[in-house]
Amino acid sequence: MAGNDASRRLHGWAELHELAARHAGFFTARQVMRAGCEARVRAGLEDGSIARAAMGMLRIAGSPIGPLDEYAMWAAWFDDEVAVSHQSAADLHGLGRLRPRFLHLSVPAGRPPVTPRVVVLRRALAGDEVESAGPFLVTTPVRTVLDLAEGDIAQVALDEVVADAVAIGRCAAGEIRAAGVGLAPRAAARVHRALAAV
């Protein structure tokens, strides 16, 4: 019986380590509990092989530090059920000059983090509306344009996002036009105006 417990803990640690590797070294206290390797993580915190990254977030020490770590951390928080979206996605795609003050995340479910930095939008996205950005997902350029058209950014800012998307080849004007057909009238009109300016 003791052998089975040890085997289960070893397997849990391997799963946790694999999950952390997918997210630039980040994992959550919740995931530790699910994996059943609390003692191993406590020992790692004591010997420095694991570091606290934020409330409820941990990181394998020595993980390479990169400019997109914050996105990877939130992908771990939401168990991969999240996509960077809206202004944050436009920024990642190099579309416009929105300079978002908040990190915009679209998630179908899950406990939101307690931080003023993150804006959580509750919605499910289809597989063709997101793309991989390594350790996290981001809405596609077309989905990003549609999200911004439905939001409240200024028309001139939307025009710039659309112009950049077409100019740098992130998507074609026809793709945006076709995708915008199902939008509410106000958002569809905003997309139409932005495309007319391209």
Side-chain angles (χ1 to χ4, degrees):
M1 194 65 120
N4 283 346
D5 286 346
S7 173
R8 207 171 11 255
R9 283 192 301 272
L10 186 61
H11 181 71
W13 175 248
E15 283 183 359
L16 186 66
H17 216 272
E18 183 181 315
L19 183 137
R22 285 197 318 264
H23 300 112
F26 292 102
F27 58 98
T28 69
R30 248 181 4 264
Q31 292 157 346
V32 171
M33 300 293 281
R34 278 198 310 252
C37 52
E38 298 94 322
R40 183 96 180 243
V41 170
R42 271 194 302 276
L45 286 166
E46 288 176 14
D47 69 22
S49 60
I50 295 174
R52 292 190 190 283
M55 177 77 88
M57 292 296 310
L58 303 146
R59 192 174 197 189
I60 304 292
S63 297
I65 295 172
L68 304 178
D69 282 354
E70 186 177 23
Y71 300 105
M73 182 176 78
W74 296 121
W77 178 273
F78 286 105
D79 291 319
D80 288 324
E81 295 293 321
V82 62
V84 177
S85 63
H86 295 77
Q87 289 94 324
S88 300
D91 191 49
L92 283 172
H93 289 305
L95 308 179
R97 292 173 290 174
L98 301 177
R99 295 182 186 88
R101 294 180 322 168
F102 304 103
L103 178 57
H104 301 86
L105 302 175
S106 289
V107 299
R111 186 172 53 107
V114 181
T115 173
R117 168 94 173 108
V118 176
V119 174
V120 174
L121 300 120
R122 296 288 183 188
R123 65 187 185 148
L125 294 164
D128 62 352
E129 294 179 306
V130 297
E131 60 188 37
S132 175
F136 59 92
L137 296 174
V138 61
T139 52
T140 62
V142 171
R143 179 71 257 171
T144 300
V145 166
L146 301 182
D147 289 341
L148 294 174
E150 292 172 324
D152 58 2
I153 69 167
Q155 183 67 41
V156 68
L158 181 63
D159 294 351
E160 185 177 40
V161 166
V162 170
D164 285 353
V166 173
I168 65 175
R170 293 296 285 135
C171 53
E175 286 179 273
I176 297 170
R177 188 173 293 108
V181 168
L183 293 175
R186 175 186 169 271
R190 283 168 47 87
V191 168
H192 181 74
R193 281 197 298 275
L195 287 169
V198 173

